[in-house]
Amino acid sequence: SDLGAALRMAGVPISNQTIKVGAEDENGAKIVTKEFPFDSSVFEDQFGFMQHNIRWARAQEILASFIPPEVVHTGCRVEGFKERNDQVEVEMAQEDGSSIKVTAKLLVG
């Protein structure tokens, strides 16, 4: 089972996109001030894969499915973290008010 393949399967390939920069006019209506066409094939040329659009909640579900459930902490609020070499130390407040410290290789929020 390949994480990259699972994320690509759940996402929608993006071939071309236009990035729009907007503002509001004097009446508060949204207007486009600049448009930047972007050829997403650059990602495929550089990384070997197309860019995909995926909902963040779905991406988190897929990421969580690739690791043991006991290392996933939900319902917590990150109070702080420190990067140390190839790990991260995370301080979290749990829903019941208690605090926990976790050392991990990756922090996804």
Side-chain angles (χ1 to χ4, degrees), residues 30-101:
K30 294 183 180 184
I31 57 171
V32 174
T33 57
K34 292 182 183 177
E35 290 190 18
F36 300 94
F38 183 76
D39 179 3
S40 298
S41 66
V42 172
F43 288 99
E44 189 170 15
D45 294 343
Q46 187 170 355
F47 302 110
F49 299 102
M50 291 181 65
Q51 184 181 20
H52 286 69
N53 186 11
I54 184 171
R55 290 181 306 117
W56 180 235
R58 183 66 183 127
Q60 284 182 320
E61 290 171 355
I62 293 169
L63 288 168
S65 74
F66 277 79
I67 57 177
E70 62 272 10
V71 302
V72 177
H73 298 276
T74 61
C76 297
R77 184 178 70 247
V78 174
E79 302 266 301
F81 65 93
K82 294 178 185 170
E83 293 182 67
R84 303 222 187 265
N85 299 321
D86 63 343
Q87 296 183 327
V88 60
E89 293 176 0
V90 186
E91 290 183 49
M92 295 180 283
Q94 299 185 99
E95 290 177 331
D96 65 5
S98 63
S99 294
I100 57 172
K101 254 188 191 181

